[in-house]
Amino acid sequence: MGRNSLWLAVVCAATLLLPSCGRDQQLVSIAIQPGTETFGASDIPVSANAGATVQLRALGSYIHPPVTKDITNQVTWSSNTPDMVTVSSTGLITATGLACGGTLISATVTTNDTSSGAIVTGTMTANVVCFTGTGPILTVDFAGNGSGTITSSPAGLSCTAKCSTTFVSGTTIALTAVPNGTFGGWTGCDAVSGSSGQVCTVINLTSDRTLTVKFN
């Protein structure tokens, strides 16, 4: 063995880091930034968090040679509770406003290295704080012999029978009625609009209030 070949063999055996030693660069771990994100507060109804977003970053740690790279757009993103927090293919997380608690967001890469199990995953936790405060309650009663669904914007009410929820004081709420048969109208709205008057608007809710929707 020549002197140069002997020197290269010794260096490779000692460090195992040089690309010239014939080893491919290997992804060994993924870190997500931020590691934890929290939406909302205990005095804010969960529905008020709907649409809040945060962009995540996925940082991959490699060896041969050791280096850290931004691989945000190369990983597969996933949320284990998408009805609480969703995540896009580019790592944008969004609170749905439908549920509270904690959810795990993962970033995964499938590699060609069987020694690492071929799958490398990093995780972060997204929390939605549950509402524990008080505020005005909006109740929707159902009347008539028919059936249908009502939903609210901002989110909070979505039901086929009498339902109630709390909103932040001063909120303006639009409720949309979708009949299974014939729509019979609203009672108690500040304004009625939309196709056949199916949208009921409550302006500046500051005290408990009850509305009635009729399905024939």
Side-chain angles (χ1 to χ4, degrees):
M1 179 183 293
R3 179 177 298 176
N4 289 338
S5 297
L6 179 60
W7 176 84
L8 181 59
V10 171
V11 171
C12 289
T15 67
L16 297 177
L17 294 177
L18 296 177
S20 57
C21 294
R23 302 192 64 179
D24 294 332
Q25 192 173 56
Q26 178 185 342
L27 175 66
V28 292
S29 65
I30 298 172
I32 299 177
Q33 295 180 344
T36 304
E37 185 64 38
T38 299
F39 296 100
S42 61
D43 60 346
I44 298 174
V46 172
S47 59
N49 300 314
T53 62
V54 171
Q55 178 62 53
L56 304 181
R57 293 179 65 209
L59 302 179
S61 295
Y62 293 81
I63 57 175
H64 313 310
V67 67
T68 299
K69 300 180 182 179
D70 188 326
I71 57 173
T72 302
N73 294 323
Q74 300 172 36
V75 301
T76 299
W77 293 97
S78 179
S79 168
N80 74 344
T81 317
D83 62 335
M84 184 184 303
V85 176
T86 63
V87 61
S88 73
S89 61
T90 57
L92 183 71
I93 58 173
T94 304
T96 65
L98 300 176
C100 61
T103 184
L104 205 63
I105 305 295
S106 63
T108 303
V109 171
T110 301
T111 72
N112 294 322
D113 181 25
T114 56
S115 66
S116 66
I119 297 177
V120 181
T121 299
T123 61
M124 64 86 64
T125 301
N127 301 303
V128 178
V129 180
C130 295
F131 178 70
T132 58
T134 59
I137 299 172
L138 182 62
T139 300
V140 178
D141 274 332
F142 283 65
N145 297 320
S147 63
T149 301
I150 66 99
T151 56
S152 68
S153 178
L157 289 171
S158 179
C159 50
T160 58
K162 182 177 179 178
C163 56
S164 302
T165 195
T166 300
F167 289 93
V168 175
S169 183
T171 300
T172 292
I173 303 132
L175 298 126
T176 301
V178 179
N180 292 328
T182 303
F183 176 61
W186 285 96
T187 302
C189 304
D190 294 328
V192 175
S193 60
S195 176
S196 302
Q198 290 175 212
V199 179
C200 168
T201 301
V202 176
I203 300 171
N204 190 30
L205 180 71
T206 56
S207 60
D208 293 354
R209 187 131 166 219
T210 298
L211 311 174
T212 300
V213 62
K214 186 176 182 180
F215 294 115
N216 298 319

